[in-house]
Amino acid sequence: MKLVRYGRPGQEKPGLIDADGVLRDLSRVVKDITPDLLAPAGLARLRGAKVARLPVVRGRPRLGAPLAGIGKMVCIGLNYTDHAAEVGMALPTEPTVFIKAPSAVCGPNDATVRPRGGVKLDYEVELAAVIGRDARNVESGKALAHVGGYCIVNDVSERAFQMEHGGTTTKGKSADTFGPVGPWLVTADEIADPQALELWTTVNGERRQRGTTAKMIFTVAALVAYVSRFMSLRVGDVISTGTPAGVGHGFKPPRYLQPGDVVEMGITGLGTQRHTIVEAK
């Protein structure tokens, strides 16, 4: 299933994308796309819906983040071999983990706001695993059973905030609009192998990123297991698994985003995002 939420910010309704790519309203079945729907009982309820009888949503409404009430967004840095090479860093021996503030979450086509004082805005297309069963100290071989679905996250970054103001990575990752999620939350049964997906990003139509999840240093399963050693993963938590080469910071000289730029990105089977960069008011 491809689950979505559509409508104005704060007023989104639940929906799904049917086999023909048509948006249908799920309001008769559920009030919203909430974490509990990713648990086995919730998914069974959704699968019982008669899709052909659901109302078709006309027009092209705004899409919000496809999951309401994301608990925490755990992000992984430097997790692709080619990205490590472009920034001149050694491959990590353990995953680099940081948190992106939930207030950064926004829709997959919402504008990206360059915050006041921001001068080094960057993009990162990432595969995100959404937890569907609570996980604590899980084994890698059993970790994917705790994933309820997958989606795209653009790990928007302000590199000056991230690298030039001391402290940790989180401050460069958490401004409002720095966590676009979606367009869809695709249930895990539709993704046969999370390590066989292509990722891409364009800026103003120019290809910047083209990669594959096969080049992850730590697989999705390994990351779920690893993170669950240090914190409980709850249903509805998101693990954003890192980005391939081609980020603006990796160019020589760097190619950071400017107001008016248009960023588009996608992942096999998970749809696409599109963002216009705007200056903070």
Side-chain angles (χ1 to χ4, degrees), residues 45-153:
R45 181 181 178 188
L46 289 173
R47 291 192 177 105
K50 298 184 183 302
V51 175
R53 297 183 181 179
L54 297 174
V56 172
V57 179
R58 304 296 180 184
R60 301 185 65 181
R62 170 192 173 269
L63 295 180
L67 182 66
I70 292 173
K72 57 181 174 285
M73 186 177 288
V74 182
C75 299
I76 308 300
L78 209 67
N79 193 36
Y80 281 73
T81 54
D82 55 356
H83 179 46
E86 76 172 342
V87 296
M89 297 184 69
L91 300 185
T93 56
E94 293 192 33
T96 300
V97 178
F98 62 91
I99 299 292
K100 185 183 285 281
S103 55
V105 172
C106 65
N109 300 307
D110 291 347
T112 297
V113 180
R114 187 170 73 171
R116 293 180 182 178
V119 292
K120 297 182 178 180
L121 193 67
D122 210 347
Y123 51 84
E124 296 186 14
V125 61
E126 303 199 2
L127 171 67
V130 185
I131 301 300
R133 292 172 52 198
D134 289 357
R136 182 179 174 85
N137 290 316
V138 300
E139 300 175 11
S140 182
K142 300 178 180 179
L144 291 185
H146 293 262
V147 176
Y150 297 93
C151 59
I152 301 171
V153 164

Side-chain angles (χ1 to χ4, degrees), residues 177-201:
T177 75
F178 274 26
V181 181
W184 316 314
L185 194 168
V186 179
T187 51
D189 60 294
E190 294 198 8
I191 303 298
D193 183 0
Q195 305 309 141
L197 305 177
E198 293 185 359
L199 312 85
W200 58 268
T201 300

